[in-house]
Amino acid sequence: KPPVIMLLSDDDDAEPGKYVEGDTAWSLSMVNDKLSIEAKSYWETVRQWPRVTAKKFDLRAGLLRIIQNVFPGASLHLVGSSQNGFDRVGSDMDACLLLGHHNMTGGDWSKTRSTNKEAVRALMYLRSILCANRWFTNFKLIPAKVPILVFFDRYSNVSVDLNIGNHNGIKNTHYTRVYTEADQRVPILGIIIKQWAKKNKINDASNGTLSSYALVLMVIRYLQACKPPVVPCLHKQCPEAIAKWFGPNSDVNMLSMHDCARDFKFSPS
């Protein structure tokens, strides 16, 4: 059973664990709070360093330049822990490629969901392009439900998992990022739970256990339901912002161009 982690706000007048509107910088109570101190210390140890995150953003930019030489309308999005704040030391770079109307079968990828066969063909073509770059190596195409092209960038020392057309993955990434930016306790507890799940070998959806996204959602739900709540429910407090950024008609390209978290105004539950 994972421990309950309670941190205090930077506001000296705030009650322990109470959400304070407008306060996004949370710190540890240094008085009789050994568990929180150990949790923060562990998080600092296992979380991904900012310089590694910067390398991933540079790698994304370099990959997009190569891809746009063949697919001018393409966009490349960081997804998963590299973008949502739950990244750990040694994490891969997960990326989703949107090809717009440039695809292998003549259809419109921006309006219709790509099939597994189309995605595999497109990834095979991209592999042939990326193989020409001396920095990319160890290519492996995984024809799963969501096909993935795995390769390694020797320059940044980062492993890349690249998929195509997973719009929901982009939305889910930015949705969870809003919560990590709302309160520091979210990424702290989330990373600890992910490490705990990895140690107990229950973090692999392909083997019938839980995906990282499922673990993160359970952490967020717990922090919404505890007394007092740490974070609010976005769907209840910010329905218009939810519809704008994560609704069925929202443009995922806008998520990477703008900080959608600014549209979410939190208040005590």
Side-chain angles (χ1 to χ4, degrees):
K1 183 178 180 180
V4 176
I5 298 174
M6 186 60 70
L7 309 184
L8 300 184
S9 167
D10 286 333
D11 186 348
D12 293 335
D13 296 326
E15 298 177 18
K18 184 176 181 180
Y19 183 85
V20 180
E21 185 174 6
D23 183 8
T24 58
W26 293 80
S27 64
L28 295 167
S29 166
M30 301 305 293
V31 181
N32 299 324
D33 199 354
K34 183 179 179 181
L35 179 59
S36 289
I37 295 172
E38 291 179 351
K40 179 68 178 294
S41 176
Y42 182 76
W43 173 69
E44 292 284 2
T45 301
V46 302
R47 74 185 180 111
Q48 184 170 271
W49 292 104
R51 64 176 179 270
V52 179
T53 302
K55 283 184 178 181
K56 290 183 177 180
F57 276 88
D58 290 342
L59 175 55
R60 171 206 163 272
L63 282 171
L64 183 58
R65 284 193 295 269
I66 295 173
I67 295 170
Q68 285 185 335
N69 286 331
V70 228
F71 299 116
S75 61
L76 186 63
H77 305 257
L78 292 185
V79 294
S81 61
S82 295
Q83 178 72 23
N84 65 12
F86 292 99
D87 43 353
R88 298 166 292 165
V89 172
S91 296
D92 298 338
M93 187 184 94
D94 297 312
C96 177
L97 179 63
L98 302 182
L99 294 179
H101 64 280
H102 298 280
N103 69 78
M104 313 310 297
T105 61
D108 189 344
W109 286 53
S110 64
K111 294 182 179 179
T112 60
R113 187 171 182 174
S114 63
T115 65
N116 182 284
K117 184 177 180 179
E118 290 172 335
V120 169
R121 291 180 61 197
L123 289 174
M124 290 176 63
Y125 182 63
L126 287 175
R127 180 177 60 184
S128 68
I129 296 171
L130 297 175
C131 279
N133 189 299
R134 64 188 179 92
W135 292 109
F136 302 141
T137 185
N138 297 341
F139 288 90
K140 182 181 180 181
L141 182 59
I142 304 175
K145 182 177 180 181
V146 177
I148 298 173
L149 178 62
V150 179
F151 59 95
F152 185 75
D153 175 42
R154 293 184 294 175
Y155 183 81
S156 59
N157 198 34
V158 170
S159 181
V160 180
D161 291 357
L162 177 66
N163 69 71
I164 291 182
N166 188 7
H167 292 73
N168 286 336
I170 300 172
K171 291 181 181 181
N172 293 342
T173 294
H174 288 273
Y175 173 75
T176 51
R177 182 183 176 185
V178 173
Y179 280 106
T180 62
E181 293 185 358
D183 193 293
Q184 192 184 54
R185 288 170 285 186
V186 178
I188 289 178
L189 183 56
I191 287 178
I192 289 175
I193 293 299
K194 287 178 69 173
Q195 286 290 103
W196 166 80
K198 181 179 180 180
K199 183 177 181 180
N200 288 277
K201 299 180 180 180
I202 56 170
N203 66 329
D204 188 352
S206 64
N207 287 326
T209 57
L210 298 169
S211 67
S212 292
Y213 183 60
L215 290 167
V216 166
L217 289 182
M218 287 192 289
V219 168
I220 292 173
R221 179 53 189 155
Y222 167 75
L223 294 176
Q224 290 173 333
C226 63
K227 302 296 183 181
V230 173
V231 290
C233 175
L234 296 182
H235 289 79
K236 291 182 178 179
Q237 291 205 0
C238 313
E240 293 182 357
I242 285 288
K244 173 183 176 180
W245 293 106
F246 308 117
N249 298 319
S250 60
D251 183 0
V252 294
N253 286 301
M254 297 298 292
L255 287 169
S256 296
M257 295 173 60
H258 301 280
D259 183 8
C260 65
R262 292 178 300 179
D263 278 3
F264 293 88
K265 306 299 182 183
F266 299 104
S267 60
S269 299

